[in-house]
């Protein structure tokens, strides 16, 4: 496995692979890899001759009071994990390679409207502009046939699919289901921020998702009733504070009243200082 930091180097490797008739899979990540990321990488490995994983903590997608500076980073560990998952190329550019004039001086952005202002976007203004911009940039650099994303970030998948469709980008978007710890907690690089009491409290997210599924399976079709039971469950956990509880249309992300077809149940919860997300899609 090669670790490259330059755009020109990764382009050369992709060009060579294409000449050899290989297809290219890309797994964009912010590093501090866990089994969720590795599942994406193994899925890409099974489908492509060249698998590129990017590791880049993108300053454009963090708000001024968010955790950019303290976001966990460990490139050595990430490189050996990526190699074990069959990745061919880790692309780990420094910030100057991606934004030579500094992130604050970037003048060009990809703006997906409306769906980026809901759910996580309501609390994190500019977040999805940063995500869409860096993903578009990675697509231009790597030119993947398929890019792989986790359903853990459900809104991100909706935004990226919309961006690629509306900008006619020549890339397919593939997704993998949420990978969880044995007790249900969705894997996240941010889980390292949790102390033991918070780690226990964080189970309120997956419990909420499970409760929503149970209610839906029992025939509940009132979205407000689902939001209410989740709100009560989160309210019963002293270390948890919800940012949002959404039962929405999986394509438009508009809140539902009656659940008559597919629904996305999504939540963001602060556990102490750590903001965690979880979701499930009800196929209807
Ligand atoms: P991140 O490094 O957090 O930006 O995540 C990189 C990719 O891994 C994104 O497509 C995420 O949705 C995906 N991912 C993160 N956590 C999980 C998980 N627990 N299960 C599946 N995919 C995940």
């Amino acid at each position: 496995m090669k670790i490259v930091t330059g755009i020109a180097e990764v382009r050369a490797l992709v060009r060579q692979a294409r000449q050899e008739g290989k297809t290219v899979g890309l797994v964009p990540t912010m590093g501090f890899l866990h089994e969720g990321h590795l599942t994406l990488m193994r899925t890409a490995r099974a489908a492509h001759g060249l698998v590129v994983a990017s590791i880049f903590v993108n300053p454009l997608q963090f708000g001024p009071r968010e955790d950019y500076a303290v976001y966990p980073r460990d490139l050595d560990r990430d490189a050996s994990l990526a190699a074990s998952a069959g990745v061919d190329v880790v692309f780990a550019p420094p910030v100057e390679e991606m934004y030579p004039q500094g992130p604050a001086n970037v003048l060009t952005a990809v703006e997906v409207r409306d769906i980026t202002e809901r759910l996580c976007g309501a609390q994190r203004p500019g977040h999805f502009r940063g995500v869409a911009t860096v993903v578009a940039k990675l697509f231009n650099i790597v030119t993947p046939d398929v890019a792989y994303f986790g359903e853990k970030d459900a809104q991100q998948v909706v935004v990226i699919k919309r961006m690629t469709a509306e900008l006619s980008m020549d890339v397919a978007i593939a997704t993998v289901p949420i990978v969880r710890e044995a007790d249900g907690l969705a894997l996240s690089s941010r889980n390292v921020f949790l102390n033991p009491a918070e780690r226990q409290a964080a189970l309120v997210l997956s419990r909420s998702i499970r409760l929503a599924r149970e209610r839906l399976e029992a025939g509940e079709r009132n979205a407000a009733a689902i939001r209410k039971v989740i709100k009560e469950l989160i309210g019963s956990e002293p270390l948890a504070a919800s940012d949002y509880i959404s039962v929405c249309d999986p394509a438009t992300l508009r809140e539902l009243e009656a659940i008559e077809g597919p629904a996305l149940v999504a939540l963001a919860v602060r556990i102490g200082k750590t903001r965690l997300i979880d979701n499930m899609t009800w196929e209807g």
Side-chain angles (χ1 to χ4, degrees):
M1 190 190 73
K2 293 196 168 67
I3 304 174
V4 303
T5 56
I7 291 171
E9 292 163 88
V10 73
R11 281 195 168 132
L13 291 168
V14 169
R15 202 177 307 122
Q16 189 189 328
R18 281 253 155 72
Q19 276 163 6
E20 293 165 8
K22 293 175 176 169
T23 65
V24 179
L26 170 66
V27 181
T29 83
M30 299 204 298
F32 214 69
L33 302 180
H34 53 64
E35 199 54 35
H37 301 114
L38 300 180
T39 303
L40 290 164
M41 293 171 188
R42 287 189 207 107
T43 307
R45 173 75 286 160
H48 302 284
L50 184 78
V51 176
V52 180
S54 60
I55 296 181
F56 181 60
V57 185
N58 172 35
L60 290 193
Q61 72 191 64
F62 288 79
R65 279 175 296 281
E66 293 184 359
D67 54 357
Y68 175 70
V70 298
Y71 194 86
R73 293 159 167 93
D74 188 342
L75 186 57
D76 290 343
R77 180 171 161 277
D78 286 350
S80 56
L81 286 171
S84 76
V87 168
D88 299 302
V89 179
V90 164
F91 175 50
V95 172
E96 312 81 75
E97 180 72 3
M98 294 292 272
Y99 308 121
Q101 304 186 316
N105 296 316
V106 170
L107 302 184
T108 309
V110 177
E111 176 101 23
V112 180
R113 291 184 294 146
D114 191 88
I115 51 174
T116 56
E117 284 145 36
R118 304 173 186 280
L119 311 187
C120 288
Q123 270 94 22
R124 306 186 70 190
H127 169 67
F128 287 108
R129 188 186 314 119
V131 169
T133 303
V134 80
V135 170
K137 206 168 152 77
L138 289 167
F139 287 178
N140 283 333
I141 293 166
V142 179
T143 65
D145 296 279
V146 184
Y148 293 81
F149 292 87
E151 288 167 13
K152 156 112 186 306
D153 297 86
Q155 187 174 14
Q156 173 168 279
V157 171
V158 175
V159 170
I160 298 300
K161 283 186 172 168
R162 192 85 185 203
M163 172 187 81
T164 55
E166 292 188 353
L167 294 181
S168 305
M169 292 179 167
D170 193 13
V171 53
I173 305 303
T175 61
V176 305
I178 300 176
V179 178
R180 298 177 180 280
E181 302 280 7
D183 63 5
L185 180 68
L187 296 188
S188 165
S189 304
R190 288 190 170 97
N191 290 350
V192 293
F193 293 139
L194 302 170
N195 67 32
E198 290 169 343
R199 171 68 182 74
Q200 198 56 32
L203 291 176
V204 79
L205 284 102
S206 52
R207 286 202 187 113
S208 297
I209 293 299
R210 216 178 311 136
L211 181 60
R213 187 184 294 283
E214 282 164 16
R215 291 299 160 105
L216 284 160
E217 280 169 356
E220 180 64 74
R221 290 295 176 269
N222 180 338
I226 306 263
R227 285 183 213 105
K228 181 162 177 277
V229 289
I230 296 179
K231 188 168 181 225
E232 283 165 4
L233 182 61
I234 295 171
S236 72
E237 173 47 67
L239 295 179
S242 71
D243 257 8
Y244 67 80
I245 300 162
S246 175
V247 180
C248 63
D249 179 296
T252 65
L253 306 183
R254 284 176 193 271
E255 292 304 314
L256 293 171
E257 287 179 20
I259 302 167
E260 288 159 344
L264 172 67
V265 179
L267 51 146
V269 179
R270 275 171 287 122
I271 306 288
K273 288 195 174 114
T274 307
R275 186 175 176 284
L276 301 176
I277 57 175
D278 204 338
N279 72 81
M280 63 151 282
T281 299
W282 173 253
E283 298 300 342

